[in-house]
Amino acid sequence: MIEIDIRHEFPGFALDARFTVARPGITALFGPSGAGKSTLVNAIAGTLRPREGFIAVDGRVLVDTASGTFVPPRARRMGMVFQDARLFPHMSVENNLRFGWRRAAAKAGADEFARVLDLLGLQSLLARRPARLSGGEKSRVALGRALLSSPRLLLLDEPLAALDAARKAEILPWLERLRDEARLPMIYVTHALEEAMRLADHLILLRDGRVTAQGAAFDLLSDLEFAHAMRAPAPGAVFAATVKEKRAGGLTALAFDGGEVIVGRLAAPVGAKLRVRLRAEDVMLALEEPRAISANNLLAATVTAVDAHDSEADVQLAVGGVKLVARITRGSLERLAIAEGTRLYAIVKSVTVDSAIGGHPG
């Protein structure tokens, strides 16, 4: 468990943040630039001494200004990964990794070293120096070095911000695998909602130095109140699904707590657990069950909330135990008289499926 309750002031800015993370996995510290995300991570790492507050990880108190407790950074067992990787250019990949291993308070054995190499696909890179690595490969090495320091907590400060779209696509599956297999609590700083939707188990929205929303990612992302807190349209929905069966025509059926969705053929085996994302723009609404349409996914739903703004409206839907969001025009909302409690059909035009839990990236 991670417990944070700190206050710190800079000229023109004040950080006043409190939250608790109860489980392993990725907690996305999300918000606009200047919200205080990196300042908060520096306080957890120990490179910033907060003026007032309390920080504890797994019951170990790291900061308690009331009692004068302040554990120095070296003794906190925090693994840090930055956006620029910060590898030693004169060292091979193997020596960069062993640097993290040598600095560990409790050194991992040879089997753990081999496990980290396998987890991040680093075996073929060991003899190279950083100058001969792609941006995505550098990020994987930085992750490996941090893991080999035997951290209690992994802190990732905008680890993909310096990468282009192709390199981000390269590293994201490895971050998913790390989330699903390492069983290590991670705080992941980002201002990119797409990364939070794909990776986060838990979300903390930070704005102007304060936590304005927090909770499970599966719950918050489709919550219209969370969209208000973000001051942005609702992004859509993220939910868990299981591969149900492979079907003719190159299709795969996924079961979720609301029925099933049909997607293109997946390599994941029957029974594999997946993360499914539906963008609000990719969900259409119909008051009557459509006939003879090309869309594979038609879900019976009930409207639970409506947020009309300018020319558009976000419609929150309950489909079984899962919340979805559809973005339609305000004219369509009024023409169909959609309101809280309306029963209708959600027509899903596009489904994004992320890698299977425990699956190996490409």
Side-chain angles (χ1 to χ4, degrees):
M1 177 180 287
I2 305 164
E3 301 169 81
I4 309 292
D5 183 359
I6 61 171
R7 285 152 296 287
H8 194 79
E9 295 178 357
F10 299 93
F13 178 80
L15 177 69
D16 185 353
R18 60 190 58 79
F19 61 87
T20 300
V21 178
R23 294 182 179 87
I26 293 180
T27 296
L29 191 57
F30 172 72
S33 297
K37 303 184 299 296
S38 293
T39 300
L40 183 51
V41 164
N42 288 333
I44 297 170
T47 54
L48 170 73
R49 188 165 187 160
R51 176 181 59 80
E52 180 184 354
F54 179 87
I55 300 174
V57 177
D58 292 336
R60 184 190 183 206
V61 176
L62 304 179
V63 174
D64 185 358
T65 56
S67 65
T69 301
F70 182 82
V71 176
R74 178 79 181 268
R76 294 194 182 195
R77 289 183 61 186
M78 300 289 171
M80 289 286 296
V81 179
F82 304 92
Q83 62 178 270
D84 56 0
R86 302 190 187 184
L87 301 178
F88 297 111
H90 62 289
M91 292 185 183
S92 67
V93 165
E94 180 171 5
N95 286 334
N96 267 281
L97 293 170
R98 291 194 180 279
F99 179 85
W101 174 79
R102 285 194 298 270
R103 288 173 62 87
K107 290 185 176 59
D111 56 339
E112 179 63 12
F113 193 89
R115 189 185 74 85
V116 170
L117 295 183
D118 178 68
L119 180 67
L120 295 169
L122 299 175
Q123 296 93 332
S124 63
L125 306 179
L126 291 178
R128 296 191 202 174
R129 290 196 175 183
R132 295 181 54 219
L133 301 176
S134 70
E137 289 169 340
K138 289 178 183 176
S139 294
R140 283 156 52 196
V141 175
L143 283 167
R145 185 174 64 183
L147 286 175
L148 286 167
S149 68
S150 299
R152 286 193 175 91
L153 174 64
L154 195 60
L155 302 172
L156 301 100
D157 192 2
E158 300 270 14
L160 305 186
L163 303 181
D164 60 25
R167 299 290 77 78
K168 286 183 182 181
E170 174 190 332
I171 192 66
L172 276 166
W174 298 102
L175 287 168
E176 289 173 330
R177 191 174 189 211
L178 179 61
R179 174 196 66 203
D180 297 332
E181 295 188 21
R183 305 309 299 163
L184 180 72
M186 291 174 267
I187 292 181
Y188 185 99
V189 173
T190 184
H191 63 271
L193 184 58
E194 177 72 13
E195 292 174 28
M197 289 183 71
R198 180 162 176 176
L199 296 172
D201 301 291
H202 192 86
L203 276 173
I204 295 171
L205 178 61
L206 195 67
R207 183 177 290 278
D208 299 326
R210 286 166 172 75
V211 174
T212 57
Q214 62 177 306
F218 287 4
D219 296 329
L220 281 188
L221 288 166
S222 54
D223 191 314
L224 300 189
E225 290 301 319
F226 179 67
H228 285 163
M230 286 195 302
R231 302 176 192 171
V238 179
F239 56 88
T242 303
V243 177
K244 180 180 178 182
E245 61 184 6
K246 305 297 177 73
R247 293 185 179 173
L251 300 175
T252 301
L254 306 179
F256 73 105
D257 187 12
E260 67 177 31
V261 291
I262 307 300
V263 300
R265 177 60 57 88
L266 299 177
V270 171
K273 298 182 184 301
L274 306 167
R275 175 179 288 219
V276 175
R277 291 180 283 146
L278 302 182
R279 297 192 315 154
E281 296 85 352
D282 290 332
V283 181
M284 298 175 61
L285 301 178
L287 294 182
E288 298 178 355
E289 184 175 1
R291 303 289 182 181
I293 62 173
S294 60
N296 287 320
N297 295 300
L298 184 65
L299 303 170
T302 301
V303 176
T304 55
V306 176
D307 182 19
H309 42 88
D310 298 328
S311 61
E312 294 183 322
D314 289 338
V315 181
Q316 184 176 286
L317 309 167
V319 181
V322 169
K323 288 189 299 186
L324 307 183
V325 176
R327 180 161 302 120
I328 61 176
T329 67
R330 188 159 185 165
S332 295
L333 179 78
E334 294 169 355
R335 176 170 50 84
L336 298 175
I338 293 173
E340 187 174 339
T342 301
R343 292 180 175 274
L344 43 65
Y345 291 90
I347 304 164
V348 179
K349 297 183 291 182
S350 178
V351 180
T352 300
V353 180
D354 295 325
S355 65
I357 292 175
H360 197 293

